[in-house]
Amino acid sequence: MSISSTDEASHATSTDRPRFTEKLDKYLDDADLDLLIVTSKHNVRYLLGGHHHHFFDYTDAIGVSRYLPILVYPKGGWENAAYFGNRNEKDQIAARRQEGHGLWVPKVQAAASGTLDAMALAVQHIRALGITPARIGIEAAFLPWDAASSLQQAFPNTALVDALRPLERLRAVKTPAELALLERASDLVVDAMISVAQGQRPGVRKREIVEALRLAEVERGLVFEYGLLTVGTHLNRAPTNDAWDAGQIMSMDSGGNLDGYIGDLCRMAILGEPDSQLEDLLAEVRAIQDIARSAAKVGIRGGDVFAAGQAAMRASPSGASLTFVAHGMGLVKPRSAPPHRQRTDPLSRVRRRSAAGSRHGALGRNDDAPSHERLHQAGGYDRRDAGRQRRLRRLRARLDLLRRQRRRLASLSVRLRNFAQIPRYVVAREECESACQSGPVRFAGLEFCNKAAALPRLCCVWDSLLGDL
């Protein structure tokens, strides 16, 4: 069988406007984006009504490149949208059309083999529209470097901006069909867990339990995503040879995928009968969960749900030993921790942003998009990161200032290397102030001496910088 490079499935599949386009146009307008390029499999699947290429269910690598589906969506012009898929995808697209589930996108072209030719098709389509967008929204975490570079070279005067926020807002509110899929997937995962737990014997290894859980979920029509198990007092959730012995508890956390939607649940089991202490602990956990669930209502912030759960946890007799965690479910795996508890290195992000994000046309986040804190029935949510962005901008300004000072003080590098013990020249703030003839000068939040020629004064500068950062 031979496949030529011109094989395509290009057709107008539907004249009906998709229901989500009005909401998406609003979110793109809020983010000041003129055009959207979607490249993640989960968002492409969502926007195309469930379409995905089964050939790349488990891995994206192919040949010397990778699978890159691209959906081009101009703001306010859904009739000019286009989808570019892999050349092997044309049969699946044709099958959907024959079954009455054709794609709504007016132009569908399955002719790409890798990342660069897929992006070339997208660029060709954008140019054919006769527009030069000022800001293109991309999925920065799901756009390979070579494809992003090709896109930037094609539109050098266009800013590429991360469109995470508009897409997350679009998917935040689930439709009844989505909720039904999640409920069905969750029920099947729990049923598989119960079946597996009841069939185990003392001494069984965690690896064996995970494999049994995988088979049980597959038998129920799910795609097994993961199985995270702990036994006894060990909290390591990776598949290991740890044994589940009589009288020990086991935590089973697993995700099963049903038509793209992941049911992610956790259940507890014990080999034997639970004692009264375990029964009491389970009752405490259940009470905390019920309070958190009762706080979930239309129009409140997600943080309010956390606040209710954490307040109930602190009031619990075992609150000092408990941690409250909650997450959503949908097309992607949940975060490992709530957003406000994630630990990141903001300075490393500043370095990347100052090197790339400040230049014209460079890749950068959409920092000026509005930050919505509330959940709305017809809207969605945005991450509460305004304060974080302000801190990052301040750190970036300080880092730029540090670079300029480093260039000015480069002539002193030879003198610095001549000293065997540089720490002895680091002086306290009071000594620094007395060493400066006119007192320290503050600029952009940093302290400098009026005369930075002397080595102790130079060390004062570094001491102040390190203290502020």
Side-chain angles (χ1 to χ4, degrees), residues 256-378:
N257 189 316
L258 181 64
D259 292 339
Y261 288 83
I262 303 173
D264 177 16
L265 296 99
C266 183
R267 291 293 184 269
M268 304 295 292
I270 186 171
L271 272 177
E273 294 296 328
D275 57 24
S276 59
Q277 184 181 22
L278 288 177
E279 295 281 6
D280 293 341
L281 287 173
L282 180 61
E284 287 184 40
V285 172
R286 181 58 184 269
I288 295 171
Q289 292 180 343
D290 288 343
I291 292 174
R293 291 191 184 98
S294 65
K297 297 181 178 64
V298 173
I300 70 164
R301 299 182 308 111
D304 295 335
V305 178
F306 270 90
Q310 290 169 344
M313 178 191 67
R314 288 191 294 268
S316 174
S318 305
S321 303
L322 299 177
T323 301
F324 180 80
V325 177
H327 62 73
M329 292 193 297
L331 287 165
V332 297
K333 296 180 179 69
R335 291 170 177 256
S336 58
H340 65 281
R341 296 182 61 183
Q342 285 194 333
R343 295 176 176 86
T344 60
D345 179 11
L347 191 57
S348 64
R349 187 175 299 177
V350 169
R351 296 190 186 104
R352 294 194 299 270
R353 291 275 300 282
S354 62
S358 60
R359 296 194 299 273
H360 179 70
L363 296 175
R365 286 186 66 89
N366 182 15
D367 293 341
D368 53 356
S371 178
H372 300 271
E373 295 186 355
R374 295 187 175 275
L375 295 173
H376 296 284
Q377 189 168 14

Side-chain angles (χ1 to χ4, degrees), residues 58 184-197 200 208-229 251-259 261-267 333:
Y58 297 101
R184 178 61 176 162
S186 301
D187 290 342
L188 293 175
V189 169
V190 172
D191 186 64
M193 287 179 174
I194 295 175
S195 174
V196 169
Q200 301 306 315
E208 298 175 286
I209 301 175
V210 171
E211 177 61 16
L213 184 59
R214 182 187 69 83
L215 294 175
E217 292 185 10
V218 171
E219 288 175 355
R220 287 161 175 77
L222 298 171
V223 175
F224 179 75
E225 291 278 350
Y226 47 86
L228 309 174
L229 274 64
S251 169
M252 304 179 72
D253 187 349
S254 181
N257 189 316
L258 181 64
D259 292 339
Y261 288 83
I262 303 173
D264 177 16
L265 296 99
C266 183
R267 291 293 184 269
K333 296 180 179 69

